[in-house]
Amino acid sequence: YNFMNGRMFQTSLFASQLAGDSVGFSHNPYAYLHTYAIHVYLTPFLFAPLWNLWPTLAWLYGLVVLVNYGAMGLFAWKTLRFLSPQSFRIKMLAAIGVLMASGFLFTFQQNAQLILFGGPFVLAAFYFLLTRQKSRFLLSMMPWCLTSEDAPMVAVTFSVYISLWAKDARSHALL
């Protein structure tokens, strides 16, 4: 809401001196903070124009579901078609069943955390790692790392995984 109404990077969280340490801020002279005083995220702002079509909490949840399930479907299809071109259709049906029965909706209920906008970028990175498309791998990891301050640690862990189990793609891990 703030982003689409001329207050980019301003949070609506009230954190005054009266609130004190109870919200994690000490002796703040300003009632409203810059977003980066709380969490650092840039990539979710790419979705702000879509959210602005219907700026409600319900649409934020809807957008998160559409973006993630759309990406899960697309990259499951692409990955299975790459790994198993002869039998990817039946495997895709199984993947859709697993996705629909997965715990994503449970995770999604965690207040529509903006880190959930990173899902499509992680799935893209995995697909581009499999197909050894280094530039696209890098281009999908960058927005993932800018999703939240926690995401780069997941990227580092993913790089360790690549280094240990995909030895022919260690240059991807170094990126």
Side-chain angles (χ1 to χ4, degrees):
Y1 178 83
N2 287 334
F3 188 86
M4 299 305 295
N5 288 284
R7 295 182 298 277
M8 298 205 279
F9 306 111
Q10 178 183 326
T11 179
S12 293
L13 178 66
F14 180 74
S16 70
Q17 288 180 345
L18 296 175
D21 295 330
S22 64
V23 292
F25 305 98
S26 58
H27 310 296
N28 177 37
Y30 306 103
Y32 297 97
L33 302 174
H34 191 280
T35 301
Y36 293 166
I38 303 167
H39 295 287
V40 176
Y41 51 85
L42 286 173
T43 301
F45 290 118
L46 295 174
F47 298 94
L50 289 174
W51 177 80
N52 197 41
L53 295 173
W54 186 31
T56 64
L57 184 59
W59 177 231
L60 177 61
Y61 278 101
L63 190 58
V64 169
V65 166
L66 288 174
V67 165
N68 278 282
Y69 274 107
M72 284 186 233
L74 172 69
F75 285 107
W77 177 72
K78 289 176 78 66
T79 301
L80 289 170
R81 198 177 72 181
F82 175 76
L83 292 175
S84 184
Q86 279 73 32
S87 61
F88 81 93
R89 285 185 179 89
I90 190 70
K91 291 177 182 176
M92 187 61 199
L93 290 173
I96 289 171
V98 169
L99 291 175
M100 297 311 284
S102 72
F104 176 72
L105 288 178
F106 176 75
T107 303
F108 169 68
Q109 293 171 6
Q110 301 297 314
N111 303 320
Q113 296 271 339
L114 294 178
I115 195 169
L116 292 173
F117 281 112
F121 302 107
V122 172
L123 295 169
F126 181 73
Y127 172 73
F128 294 134
L129 171 69
L130 283 177
T131 57
R132 300 301 191 256
Q133 298 179 51
K134 194 181 298 186
S135 60
R136 290 182 178 182
F137 172 81
L138 180 61
L139 288 174
S140 59
M141 287 303 287
M142 288 173 21
W144 162 245
C145 287
L146 294 173
T147 303
S148 115
E149 72 277 5
D150 302 331
M153 291 308 298
V154 177
V156 168
T157 305
F158 188 42
S159 295
V160 170
Y161 162 82
I162 294 168
S163 295
L164 294 175
W165 284 282
K167 295 184 190 308
D168 63 322
R170 284 192 172 155
S171 61
H172 288 69
L174 291 174
L175 285 175

